[in-house]
Amino acid sequence: QVQLVESGGGLVQAGGSLRLSCAASGRTFSSYARGWFRQAPGKEREFVAAISWSGGSMYYADSVKGRFTISRDNAKNTVYLQMNSLKPEDTAVYYCAPTFGGRLERPYDYWGQGTQVTVSS
């Protein structure tokens, strides 16, 4: 059993910044890569960013590259997503999950409750 808790979302104006956190409890997936995904109303869930277990490899969707930065603090068992230069199209519920695959973009079916990010124009 693993718990993933996302936090840090909120309402921000276009061009602003937010920092999301994904805290994990328990030993399950302790050494796994982890990624962020988002889902907007009426849209499919999409990959945003992922980070390897060591923190040495990071991958980003083209839509967020250069604006978002993923990082992790293994001592805190927490992964972060620093989001800068936010755009209205970034509005979505953001989730994290353990991931795998060539670009670490495929999620295992373990999710937190999500955190809402709303970007006003």
Side-chain angles (χ1 to χ4, degrees):
Q1 179 259 333
V2 64
Q3 288 194 60
L4 298 169
V5 179
E6 300 97 335
S7 62
L11 175 64
V12 65
Q13 294 184 355
S17 298
L18 287 171
R19 191 193 195 202
L20 307 185
S21 298
C22 174
S25 62
R27 290 187 175 185
T28 306
F29 301 115
S30 61
S31 64
Y32 280 55
R34 208 184 301 176
W36 287 95
F37 301 80
R38 66 188 183 187
Q39 187 166 24
K43 304 293 184 182
E44 295 288 314
R45 181 188 64 201
E46 65 175 346
F47 170 81
V48 176
I51 187 167
S52 64
W53 69 269
S54 67
S57 298
M58 288 84 76
Y59 301 94
Y60 299 94
D62 289 342
S63 59
V64 307
K65 189 181 291 291
R67 300 188 297 120
F68 292 8
T69 302
I70 190 169
S71 62
R72 70 188 304 160
D73 183 343
N74 287 340
K76 289 186 168 184
N77 212 6
T78 299
V79 171
Y80 304 96
L81 186 68
Q82 178 66 47
M83 306 186 296
N84 298 326
S85 301
L86 283 162
K87 304 175 180 180
E89 49 262 50
D90 296 318
T91 295
V93 178
Y94 284 69
Y95 302 91
C96 70
T99 64
F100 65 100
R103 298 209 311 157
L104 306 178
E105 64 184 14
R106 293 183 174 272
Y108 292 99
D109 194 21
Y110 288 85
W111 305 91
Q113 82 288 350
T115 186
Q116 175 73 50
V117 171
T118 303
V119 184
S120 62
S121 60

